[in-house]
Amino acid sequence: MKRFVVIGLGNFGSSVARRLYESGHDVVVLDKQAEAVDAIGPFVTRALVGDATKKGVLEAAGASDADAGIISTGGDLGASILALLGLHDLGISEIYVKVRSEEQARIVTALGASDTIFPEKEAARNLASKVTTGSLLQYVTYTDQFAIQEMAVPASWEGKSLIDLRLTQQRHIQVVAVHDMLTDRIGLPDPQKPLTPSDALLVAGRPEDLKRLAKLG
């Protein structure tokens, strides 16, 4: 179990905090709005009203013991920067900051953020991937070099096994799971089992290699 401190309880911050807590982690949240803190209180370890731009408030909340910090203060870049610096001063090296633009991302990265979160950009990228192919069910990009997508089995793959298709060798992709849409079961793929029209595949690889799958029918 890890301890996370989440700063800012908008839609994004609240959702992340609840998901981490549901996954069995110790989650401390901070926000200046009492209503937001009260709403999430039952779904996290500890919810506090406070100004997270102040190092003393972070320290009193127990942030110094956190394994990682997540900052989601909306459009207030100044508050994000001060919270970032405060967490750094408390010795937290793994800090993620939600941003609204590439410029904000460059600023907080230069100030020591481990990574930036740009939900609007990721949502736009995933939507663009969805609408360009009817076979694509879900798409998540992790870096410019790696992505994972869930896709329906192309007609040309039906009745063939993963061994037959030789996807790693011929298409430079890897099927990491098979989702049976009829039973809603998902598990590791059986490389010898023929694929069926009711199967959906969770496929990993480079975005350009995954994009070529859209042309299959």
Side-chain angles (χ1 to χ4, degrees):
M1 181 178 70
K2 291 185 176 182
R3 167 174 276 201
F4 295 90
V5 56
V6 179
I7 298 169
L9 294 174
N11 290 334
F12 178 81
S14 298
S15 297
V16 169
R18 289 187 61 162
R19 184 65 178 268
L20 290 171
Y21 183 72
E22 289 168 358
S23 298
H25 297 292
D26 185 13
V27 181
V28 176
V29 300
L30 276 164
D31 196 282
K32 290 191 287 186
Q33 301 298 321
E35 295 84 357
V37 173
D38 290 341
I40 201 172
F43 308 103
V44 295
T45 309
R46 191 179 183 196
L48 301 169
V49 178
D51 185 353
T53 66
K54 302 182 183 302
K55 179 183 174 182
V57 173
L58 293 172
E59 195 167 17
S64 56
D65 296 325
D67 295 287
I70 299 166
I71 300 172
S72 176
T73 54
D76 192 342
L77 178 60
S80 295
I81 290 173
L82 290 175
L84 169 62
L85 296 177
L87 292 177
H88 260 307
D89 288 345
L90 293 177
I92 300 175
S93 58
E94 191 174 342
I95 305 172
Y96 303 89
V97 182
K98 179 177 177 287
V99 297
R100 288 190 169 184
S101 68
E102 298 289 355
E103 291 74 19
Q104 288 187 5
R106 286 198 294 269
I107 292 170
V108 297
T109 299
L111 292 173
S114 306
D115 201 356
T116 57
I117 307 153
F118 198 162
E120 291 84 359
K121 180 180 178 181
E122 293 303 318
R125 181 183 295 173
N126 293 342
L127 177 59
S129 298
K130 278 190 176 184
V131 300
T132 55
T133 169
S135 64
L136 186 61
L137 305 177
Q138 296 187 51
Y139 185 91
V140 179
T141 302
Y142 291 92
T143 69
D144 291 338
Q145 290 79 42
F146 185 79
I148 295 178
Q149 71 180 39
E150 185 178 5
M151 58 176 288
V153 171
S156 59
W157 292 7
E158 292 175 11
K160 298 179 181 178
S161 69
L162 296 178
I163 290 178
D164 296 332
L165 293 169
R166 302 180 68 230
L167 298 177
T168 302
Q169 296 87 349
Q170 295 188 1
R171 297 188 178 276
H172 311 293
I173 60 172
Q174 180 70 49
V175 176
V176 296
V178 176
H179 184 185
D180 186 332
M181 305 297 283
L182 293 179
T183 63
D184 201 29
R185 292 180 180 176
I186 186 168
L188 295 175
D190 180 345
Q192 297 181 328
K193 183 180 179 181
L195 299 174
T196 70
S198 65
D199 288 333
L201 307 178
L202 196 63
V203 185
R206 296 182 304 174
E208 58 266 32
D209 292 323
L210 296 178
K211 186 177 181 179
R212 295 189 185 98
L213 299 179
K215 301 176 182 178
L216 298 174

